[in-house]
Amino acid sequence: SNKNLRVLDISNNEITHLESIAHLSELEEFWASNNQFADFREVERELKDKENLETVYFEGNPLQTMGPAVYRNKVRLLLPQVKQIDATYVK
C-alpha cells in the first residue's frame, strides 16, 4: 500500500467525494483544488487524524466557493494541525 505517501495532488479532477485516503497516515500535503468537494464531514473524516498534515488546498471546490467567508475558519476548526490553507498561512 501507499500509506507512507506524504504529498497527494488530485487537483482539477472533478472528484465529488473525499474518500479512501484515511489510511495515508503520513500525509503532509493534500492538494485538491478545483474538484467538486462539498461536504466538510468528509474532510474531517479523512484528514483530522493526520498529525503531519500541514498544507491543504481546497480552493475552487464548493466547500470554498459556496461559503468563502466561513471556509477557512471551518477548515481550521476541523484540521487544527494544518499550517497552510490554500496559498495562505494560518495565523
Side-chain angles (χ1 to χ4, degrees):
S1 82
N2 298 320
K3 68 180 178 54
N4 293 326
L5 206 64
R6 291 184 313 183
V7 178
L8 181 60
D9 186 347
I10 57 168
S11 301
N12 306 303
N13 273 298
E14 299 295 310
I15 300 170
T16 51
H17 291 289
L18 182 54
E19 56 195 357
S20 305
I21 62 166
H23 65 288
L24 300 177
S25 56
E26 302 302 312
L27 204 61
E28 296 172 8
E29 299 184 21
F30 183 58
W31 298 63
S33 301
N34 302 312
N35 282 290
Q36 297 298 321
F37 298 135
D39 192 342
F40 280 101
R41 289 171 302 186
E42 294 176 349
V43 171
E44 183 176 27
R45 182 190 69 216
E46 297 293 319
L47 297 175
K48 72 174 180 195
D49 60 341
K50 310 226 176 330
E51 294 173 12
N52 300 325
L53 187 64
E54 295 197 347
T55 302
V56 293
Y57 274 77
F58 287 115
E59 58 192 345
N61 283 279
L63 286 177
Q64 184 255 326
T65 57
M66 304 278 282
V70 295
Y71 154 73
R72 286 179 56 81
N73 271 340
K74 277 194 176 178
V75 173
R76 223 165 57 180
L77 287 170
L78 295 177
L79 308 174
Q81 73 276 40
V82 165
K83 296 180 171 66
Q84 182 181 346
I85 300 170
D86 303 326
T88 310
Y89 285 92
V90 175
K91 300 283 184 279

